[in-house]
Amino acid sequence: GKSFVGFASLPHQIHRKNVKKGFDFTLMVVGESGLGKSTLINSLFLTGLYSDRILPNTSEMMKRTVGITRKTVDIEEKGVRLKLTIVDTPGFGDALDCTDSSYPIVDYLHQQMEQYRMDEVGMPRTQIKDSRVHCCLYFISPYGHGLKPLDVAFMKELQAKVNIVPVIGKADCLTKAELLRKKERIRKEIEFHKIKIFQFSDCDSDDDIEWTRQDHEMKNSIPFAVVGSNMQLRVDGRTVRVRAYPWGVVEVENPDHSDLVHLRTMLVRTHMQDLREKTHDNLYEQFRIRRMNMRSP
Ligand code: GDP
Ligand code: MG
């Protein structure tokens, strides 16, 4: 079916011997309340193929997210196993105390790294349950004029602990021209405020043209403009995920309507291994060194 996610191509990203063991990947969503975080997760992964197993849980997910919740699903494609964990977070304004909304989330990321650090010392590597977060989708409002001061502060808190991938939520409420302008502005603001977001690694010269082209297109899509939906419709004989409005239908997986497919491709087909490596080799390593320095006098 067309609903499959596509991580079976992961073996291209990773050494063969790891394929049998399977992969784990943990993705977090963060941002203001009501920007479509929970809905997007549903649209990104828990689609078609996995629906029978997942659907009972998604209705639960669609409720207002009031605490940090983790959900893990084991999915398999073409013999490749992926253990996908989604960390959903309450949006600003959903938590009881929204004065310092970044704290519980930053603390959560810290705790996962700290747990790994302790396990690394205390147990065989194969037994470690790695719960570190590999990627954080940071939701930016489509209604504002760019980043809000809170977004800047929040991302600055997050950047040392997780790979940030910025997205514009509910992008269906912007026209194409508005979207391009907003993306450009947000990219400039990210640069101006020196916010460290996930960087697509530069292509090696031996990478093929298709890959290079895709990588370029990916970079220019940042922040990904996403549209989520829990509704499926038959359109021209295909089942597609849509948002239906009185004036027409937005197909969330149509690249002309949203960057959802780019985002999914990046997460599972092309950059999952890169996100995992950056988490371990850069972010975690820096965390470990900071912790070591804190101990020694
Ligand atoms: P969260 O608080 O960020 O998790 O947001 P939810 O996923 O719970 O969505 C909040 C509301 O926005 C719900 O009524 C959704 O149906 C709606 N919604 C979700 N995604 C989109 C989107 O892409 N576009 C539009 N227009 N509405 C959306
Ligand atoms: Mg939510």
Side-chain angles (χ1 to χ4, degrees):
K2 68 169 286 292
S3 51
F4 103 142
V5 169
F7 62 84
S9 66
L10 264 172
H12 299 304
Q13 299 173 42
I14 201 172
H15 208 274
R16 246 179 206 296
K17 70 176 183 215
N18 287 321
V19 171
K20 256 200 289 184
K21 279 192 301 181
F23 309 86
D24 47 61
F25 188 72
T26 302
L27 177 72
M28 176 186 250
V29 288
V30 169
E32 217 173 290
S33 176
L35 289 183
K37 298 185 291 297
S38 302
T39 310
L40 183 82
I41 286 306
N42 203 9
S43 308
L44 262 181
F45 298 112
L46 313 179
T47 171
L49 197 61
Y50 321 113
S51 58
D52 19 313
R53 204 171 347 150
I54 303 310
L55 274 181
N57 290 339
T58 51
S59 53
E60 183 188 316
M61 220 178 196
M62 295 334 297
K63 284 191 256 162
R64 249 173 47 150
T65 321
V66 287
I68 296 175
T69 60
R70 305 174 62 88
K71 288 211 168 65
T72 298
V73 277
D74 286 298
I75 45 188
E76 189 172 331
E77 255 177 38
K78 298 182 182 169
V80 179
R81 287 190 300 118
L82 172 68
K83 193 164 146 229
L84 173 71
T85 302
I86 304 291
V87 182
D88 202 355
T89 64
F92 323 148
D94 269 359
L96 287 180
D97 177 8
C98 58
T99 47
D100 193 2
S101 23
S102 67
Y103 178 75
I105 293 166
V106 173
D107 186 56
Y108 179 87
L109 293 167
H110 175 93
Q111 290 305 330
Q112 311 317 308
M113 287 207 172
E114 182 61 10
Q115 185 64 48
Y116 189 86
R117 197 181 68 90
M118 291 189 315
D119 289 353
E120 223 178 17
V121 180
M123 60 170 77
R125 200 165 284 259
T126 50
Q127 282 174 30
I128 299 179
K129 284 209 176 61
D130 184 4
S131 58
R132 292 170 301 178
V133 179
H134 300 112
C135 180
C136 169
L137 298 182
Y138 188 93
F139 278 67
I140 299 162
S141 169
Y143 309 116
H145 286 288
L147 296 179
K148 297 178 181 176
L150 185 60
D151 292 326
V152 174
F154 208 141
M155 283 196 268
K156 290 224 147 207
E157 290 281 322
L158 291 172
Q159 66 188 17
K161 302 216 161 53
V162 71
N163 290 306
I164 302 172
V165 172
V167 304
I168 300 176
K170 294 189 168 178
D172 52 317
C173 71
L174 297 170
T175 66
K176 252 203 157 106
E178 287 170 334
L179 201 53
L180 287 177
R181 243 179 291 139
K182 190 148 296 190
K183 281 189 177 194
E184 172 83 37
R185 176 168 182 157
I186 291 170
R187 282 198 296 264
K188 284 210 173 106
E189 287 177 336
I190 285 173
E191 205 183 308
F192 176 81
H193 292 289
K194 299 189 169 59
I195 297 167
K196 293 196 201 85
I197 60 168
F198 175 68
Q199 294 297 320
F200 292 95
S201 36
D202 290 325
C203 296
D204 302 328
S205 51
D206 60 346
D207 283 332
D208 58 42
I209 293 169
E210 173 58 17
W211 183 280
T212 310
R213 190 195 58 77
Q214 224 178 45
D215 215 61
H216 189 74
E217 196 171 334
M218 216 71 98
K219 275 180 197 157
N220 287 330
S221 300
I222 297 268
F224 295 102
V226 293
V227 181
S229 150
N230 294 307
M231 183 187 174
Q232 294 184 320
L233 261 191
R234 298 284 296 173
V235 175
D236 302 330
R238 301 168 300 137
T239 303
V240 292
R241 200 169 266 272
V242 298
R243 298 193 67 81
Y245 294 103
W247 56 88
V249 160
V250 176
E251 293 176 31
V252 305
E253 298 190 45
N254 181 335
D256 289 333
H257 296 189
S258 100
D259 295 330
L260 183 87
V261 171
H262 282 327
L263 177 62
R264 186 195 283 148
T265 300
M266 177 240 152
L267 287 177
V268 299
R269 285 190 205 208
T270 57
H271 288 80
M272 184 176 277
Q273 184 56 10
D274 201 18
L275 286 159
R276 292 166 89 245
E277 276 169 13
K278 285 213 162 95
T279 302
H280 186 74
D281 300 344
N282 303 2
L283 299 169
Y284 174 69
E285 193 53 22
Q286 282 153 23
F287 170 85
R288 215 175 56 82
I289 289 167
R290 279 196 304 274
R291 293 292 285 145
M292 261 176 350
N293 293 341
M294 273 165 63
R295 273 157 180 265
S296 49

